[in-house]
Each structure stands twice: as C-alpha cells, then as structure tokens.
Amino acid sequence: MLTAVTIIAALAGVGPERGGEHRNERVVADPATKTSPRRSGAPMNRPPDGPRSEAVRPNGSKLAATVADRIVDDIAALGWPEGDVVGSEPELLARYGVSRAVFREAVRLVEHKQVARMRRGPGGGLVVTPPSVHSVADAVSVYLAYVGAEIDEVFEARLALEETAAQLAPERLDEPGIAALRALVAGEHDHTVDDPREMHRLVAALTGNPALELFVDLLNQVSLLYLPRSARLGPSTLAASAAAHAAIAEAVIAGDESLARGRMRKHLQAEAAYLRAQQPSRRRLADLTEAVGHSDKRGEATARQIFGEVTAAGWPVGALLGSEADLMARYGVSRAVLREAVRVLEHHQVARMRRGPGGGLFVAEPGIEAVTDAVALHVERGGIVPQHLFEVRRAVELTVLERVLATLDDQGRAALVAALAAERAASVEEFPAVGHDVHNVLARVSGNRVLELLTVVLIRVTRRHSAAPPGAPDLLPTQEVIHVHERVVDAIVAGDGELARHRMRRHLDALVDWVQ
C-alpha cells in the first residue's frame, strides 16, 4: 500500500523507476506569476474546479491536505515541469501562508502522490518528479484490501485489458516496435532482462494508448501483491514465462491478432494458476504492508504499520484506534510524525482523526475517491485523451457485460430496473451525475470487485473531463442516453447476448463524441 515502490521492487527484483533522480534541475518562477507551455501531447483540459472536485475528504478539509492540493494545482499550472525546483521551503512557506509544520505535512502528501519531493541542502527546494504508476497502485491496493478482492478478480480484469492490447498491438505495430519486441525476447532468453512485467508493458505500449498502458501496468503491479513475501521466481518458472512471451511476440510481429490474443490469454491463465497456488489471496493482500520494506520517512512507516493492524483486525469500520496521545506512546513517535501518518491514512480513507472530547483516530470506510484522484493525476500528466480512456472502458465494460449475461439473477434485474427509473426521474441538471448509473450497476451486478472499481473510476475520470463549462448546457443527449440504456437492459433481461453486446458496443463508441 504505502510503499508500493519498495514492495514491488523487493518482490520483482527491480529498482525504482528510472528517471528523475539525476535530472538537471532548474528553479522556476511562482506559478501565480509565470506559467510554462504544456509539452507536446497535451493532456485533457482540467475542469474549472480542478481534478479533485468530486472527492470528499474524510473529516472535513484539513489544512495540510488543502495546501497539498494547492501545490499540485500550481505544479499543474506550470505544465508538470519534471526536475524543476518550484520554490525553496522559505519561499513556499510565504507563498502558502502556513506554518512550517503544516507545510511539511502537505509536502509529505505531495511526495506520497509522487508529484514532487523536497530536496534539502544548498539550492534545495520542492522538485517536480516524474509521474509514476506506484501512487495509483497504492490507492488501488488499499481499496482492494478493504473489499477483500480475490486474485481471480484481478486476473479477469487483466485478461480484459491485456487481450485487448494483444489484439490492437499487431495492427499498430511499426518497425521500431518490432525491434523492441525482438530485443526484449533476446534479453529474457539470455537473462539480461529479468522482470517478467516488461513484455506486458511493451505490448500495451505498442498500442499507442497510454491509458491502456497505465492500467495494464497497474494491474500487473497489483498482481504481485498476492505473492508471499518470500516468493522468488525459480529458473523453470522464468523460462516458461520467457517462452510464453516469445510466442506472444511472434504472433504480434506476424500481425496475427487472434493468435496474439489467444496466447496472451493462455499465458495469463498460467500466471494466475501459479499465484493462486502460492497462498490464499485475500489474506495475503490484506496483510502485505504489515512490516515490509523500509522507509526513511517515519510518518509513512507509522501509517504503514497502522494500516497493517487495521487489515489484520478485519477492517472494523468505526472502531477507535486510540487518542493522539495514546498513538504517540504506542508507536514511539512525536506529534508531528503521527500527524504526517494520519494525513496519509486519511488520504487513503483508512482512518480519520476526530478532534475534541471523545476524539481520536477511527477506522474509516474506504471509498473510490482516492483511486479516482490518483488516476486523474496520472491522466493529467500523461497526455491521456478521452479516446484513450474510452478504449479502456470498452474493454472493461464489455467484460462486465459478459459476466452479467452469464450470472444475472432477480436481484440484479431489480437493480438495473431501479437504475433506469432513477435516470428517467433525474432533471437535466441532475442527469450528468446519474447518467452513468446503469454502467455502475452493471459493474456491481457482475460480482467482480476489480472490474467494478475500474468501471467507476473510468466513468468518474471521463466525466471530469467532459463536464460543460459553468453556465453552459451539458452536451450529453439525455433522452438518447436513457433510450439506449433501456435497449441495452432490455436485451440483457431477455437473455439476448448478441443484441446486448451489439447495443453496448455502439453506445460506448457513441459516448466518445460527447466527451470534451
């Protein structure tokens, strides 16, 4: 959860992501007075109210969290200038008008989101860091630990995305891509490449869709959270993986989309069987962060320890973990360190601090807001456009549809009917918020918590970037959407899978035209 970079590196035998640590760093001006042009491949425009407008912070808006959001927004206004120093600590204290203690808590949150890091010493300051999928993996692992997602749910979602990547890569492949595939196959054969995830990343990258690449990489990292701490891939396992990767690469280079897709499915099914045999998945995901890795930030280490205790206790929502004084004594930390830990826990909705008589740190119920925020930041920084997101949505939601067609019961039918009724009753102003309810309900009815999470997050992120400007009419054709949802649900309830698939595909393709 809280140290995904360290955890994943330890399990996979790789180091942190390359880049950013040794860049030439230069100081940039205050974003309030100077802005930088965006790089090529500019991401979607940020909505007027910022990327976190839909998130509701637990226990109100804390000052440190508010300052952290302001820092992120100011860095975004500069165009995410990686390696730049956006200000020294004294300069930033004056800019944001807060105490050193509050500012340093805010910086810990910004570092946790992997947006920037504080560099000490002469010429130091807050340095913008390269984007990393690890911050998204942190948020996802917390949510999946809370809901108790099983490894089969993760791999069903991986199949949806990676089969899509294997199908798209052959038709979008160019000669540099062929060279990259051949080099990777050769590297795995002679053991100069020892990270089995590299092939999965590369196939996704060859599609030219950074959103698909993001989610493939994310689910690959989440899969590792189901491995025992002591697990090491043996020579025979690595050889089998390399052979499967070589077969996938061969099919992609040959332009055989069907064969590439089939070989990817077979490989992922074998990987799932291997992980499933190692250890019961739910218990492993829940206790992963109990005592793994090392952090030089005591606040994050304390947060990691508290998270482990919450999961070990079965996530008792509402339970009191202790007063501030109790927790300081229990973990042997100062008030400042404990408050940094609390900010991280509140950010992930693991726990919340209540002040006053009868107050203390209470176990919270995680929502999807933290995952949505982490994905939205990555989308903003990664040059991801709506069309990229909808290609991922299409893969996810068609897989959801297949599950619903196979498992729909009376309770599921009632939920779909209720969602349609809510859409019909919604006003024009309300409809943008409820107009995707049928999609959300389908995901919930599917019974796969990972697919449900991906569906909800993708809908929320695309909605953030399709919102009409203040005062302008929403461009979504309300009555047309309701009509299409009714037709999709009618086909599902009637058990007509072919018609349901046809209608859903056409609907998802049409939605792209209504996103700004």
Side-chain angles (χ1 to χ4, degrees), residues 36-46 76 78-80 210 376-389 465 516:
S36 301
R38 292 194 181 277
R39 292 173 172 79
S40 60
M44 294 181 285
N45 293 329
R46 180 192 299 267
L78 291 167
W80 308 102
L377 273 178
H378 208 94
V379 165
E380 175 75 9
R381 300 188 68 177
I384 295 174
V385 299
Q387 289 76 9
H388 294 147
L389 290 169
H465 295 281
Q516 303 302 299

Side-chain angles (χ1 to χ4, degrees), residues 31-118:
T33 59
K34 178 180 178 180
T35 59
S36 301
R38 292 194 181 277
R39 292 173 172 79
S40 60
M44 294 181 285
N45 293 329
R46 180 192 299 267
D49 49 0
R52 289 164 296 284
S53 59
E54 294 179 13
V56 178
R57 293 197 178 280
N59 201 28
S61 179
K62 306 289 186 180
L63 182 55
T66 300
V67 173
D69 284 350
R70 288 180 60 192
I71 292 171
V72 172
D73 287 340
D74 286 347
I75 291 173
L78 291 167
W80 308 102
E82 296 170 21
D84 288 2
V85 179
V86 297
S88 66
E89 183 173 82
E91 290 169 344
L92 296 172
L93 284 170
R95 183 181 306 169
Y96 298 110
V98 294
S99 68
R100 179 172 279 103
V102 169
F103 174 74
R104 287 183 175 178
E105 287 183 35
V107 168
R108 289 292 180 266
L109 281 175
V110 173
E111 289 178 333
H112 188 68
K113 296 177 182 182
Q114 299 183 20
V115 171
R117 61 178 175 84
M118 185 59 75

Side-chain angles (χ1 to χ4, degrees), residues 325-501:
D326 292 337
L327 296 170
M328 289 167 57
R330 183 184 309 165
Y331 299 109
V333 296
S334 67
R335 177 174 281 104
V337 169
L338 179 66
R339 288 183 175 179
E340 287 180 11
V342 168
R343 295 298 174 263
V344 173
L345 293 169
E346 289 184 327
H347 171 70
H348 283 300
Q349 301 177 357
V350 172
R352 67 182 65 184
M353 183 65 78
R354 297 179 192 167
R355 306 297 178 183
L361 189 64
F362 292 83
V363 179
E365 182 177 8
I368 298 180
E369 291 84 0
V371 180
T372 305
D373 283 350
V375 171
L377 273 178
H378 208 94
V379 165
E380 175 75 9
R381 300 188 68 177
I384 295 174
V385 299
Q387 289 76 9
H388 294 147
L389 290 169
F390 269 98
E391 198 160 59
V392 178
R393 274 191 65 177
R394 194 176 194 270
V396 170
E397 295 201 49
L398 289 176
T399 302
V400 164
L401 178 60
E402 291 299 328
R403 282 190 62 89
V404 173
L405 287 169
T407 63
L408 187 65
D409 56 16
D410 290 342
Q411 186 176 1
R413 292 185 187 91
L416 288 170
V417 169
L420 286 173
E423 287 188 359
R424 295 189 196 101
S427 66
V428 174
E429 294 75 21
E430 295 169 337
F431 191 79
V434 301
H436 285 92
D437 278 359
V438 166
H439 296 263
N440 291 331
V441 171
L442 281 169
R444 186 172 70 249
V445 169
S446 77
N448 182 316
R449 274 88 45 104
V450 180
L451 288 172
E452 181 182 2
L453 174 65
L454 294 180
T455 299
V456 174
V457 168
L458 285 163
I459 287 172
R460 290 185 180 187
V461 173
T462 51
R463 277 297 306 152
R464 288 183 181 194
H465 295 281
S466 63
D474 194 281
L475 300 177
L476 197 67
T478 303
Q479 293 305 314
E480 181 179 335
V481 169
I482 293 173
H483 177 64
V484 172
H485 284 176
E486 289 174 337
R487 285 167 55 79
V488 170
V489 172
D490 285 347
I492 293 171
V493 172
D496 192 335
E498 292 180 349
L499 191 57
R501 294 181 195 97

Side-chain angles (χ1 to χ4, degrees), residues 116-166:
R117 61 178 175 84
M118 185 59 75
R119 186 183 65 190
R120 306 296 177 185
L126 192 63
V127 182
V128 180
T129 53
S132 169
V133 74
H134 296 303
S135 59
V136 187
D138 286 348
V140 169
S141 65
V142 170
Y143 183 81
L144 295 184
Y146 169 66
V147 300
E150 304 286 357
I151 194 169
D152 288 339
E153 296 174 78
V154 175
F155 269 87
E156 186 170 25
R158 281 189 63 183
L159 279 168
L161 297 180
E162 297 205 46
E163 283 191 63
T164 297

